[in-house]
Amino acid sequence: LVADSIHAMEFLDYCSYYRFCGYALHFERLTNTGERTHSYKNGTSFEAVERIYHFDAALRRLIFHYTTLIEVNFRASFGNISAQFYNDAHWFMDPDRFLDSDKHTEFLQLCKQEVKRSREIFITSYKNKYTTPDLPPIWMLTELMSFSVWSKLYQNLADKSLKQQIAN
């Protein structure tokens, strides 16, 4: 059921019919064997499906907001605490501080690729000022590398007390 066809067409212009249909799946009639019929249960309205779409969008924004805060805090904690723990801004270059040396090597290679590719002002400044070590300090890398990279490195830390301090 579509109460306002002009609104529905405008909505589909920015949402897309294909995406909208994904939200409408919950209203679809199924056969006795659970197969799709591409028809909807009686009383299904465009507006009901649109409300689910808007709820999902709002929920995504809320989740993104809080996961971003968690990610930023994790990165900052990882960089600051580990540098203090080892009293070394480049502690991450020492393979003895990690459980799996192959994963550590992969981490360093990935860092070198990202540093080489980066156009960030702070990375350019580091490259212009320092020739060694070839990787910037941990607090710069925490801003450059993805959360996934840091979570894997965290898992690979050999020192459990460092992991606990970061977690706290």
Side-chain angles (χ1 to χ4, degrees), residues 25-167:
L25 286 173
H26 305 288
F27 298 98
E28 194 171 327
R29 284 191 196 122
L30 302 177
T31 66
N32 291 337
T33 59
E35 294 184 38
R36 297 181 62 196
T37 64
H38 301 284
S39 63
Y40 297 99
K41 298 172 187 170
N42 290 336
T44 299
S45 70
F46 185 93
E47 293 74 20
V49 177
E50 183 182 0
R51 281 192 300 274
I52 292 172
Y53 169 85
H54 287 299
F55 172 80
D56 182 61
L59 183 60
R60 286 173 189 258
R61 284 190 303 273
L62 186 65
I63 289 170
F64 182 75
H65 171 75
Y66 287 104
T67 55
T68 298
L69 294 176
I70 292 166
E71 177 182 347
V72 168
N73 182 263
F74 174 74
R75 287 171 184 254
S77 296
F78 197 118
N80 295 337
I81 292 168
S82 62
Q84 290 172 3
F85 186 86
Y86 289 114
N87 194 29
D88 180 1
H90 292 89
W91 66 268
F92 57 88
M93 297 178 84
D94 182 351
D96 294 335
R97 293 180 169 151
F98 298 92
L99 300 170
D100 184 324
S101 62
D102 290 338
K103 288 180 182 178
H104 176 252
T105 300
E106 287 174 26
F107 167 76
L108 292 178
Q109 288 171 344
L110 187 58
C111 288
K112 288 175 185 177
Q113 290 171 359
E114 287 298 311
V115 167
K116 184 177 180 180
R117 184 187 66 79
S118 177
R119 301 292 176 247
E120 294 284 351
I121 293 169
F122 63 93
I123 296 297
T124 303
S125 176
Y126 180 83
K127 289 178 193 177
N128 290 337
K129 190 170 183 177
Y130 302 99
T131 56
T132 184
D134 57 346
L135 289 175
I138 187 77
W139 51 82
M140 287 185 181
L141 285 178
T142 58
E143 291 301 316
L144 193 60
M145 307 303 291
S146 73
F147 180 75
S148 172
V149 168
W150 291 113
S151 65
K152 290 173 186 169
L153 191 71
Y154 176 85
Q155 289 176 329
N156 197 25
L157 289 173
D159 195 306
K160 290 181 181 179
S161 65
L162 172 58
K163 288 172 91 169
Q164 188 61 51
Q165 285 183 38
I166 294 168

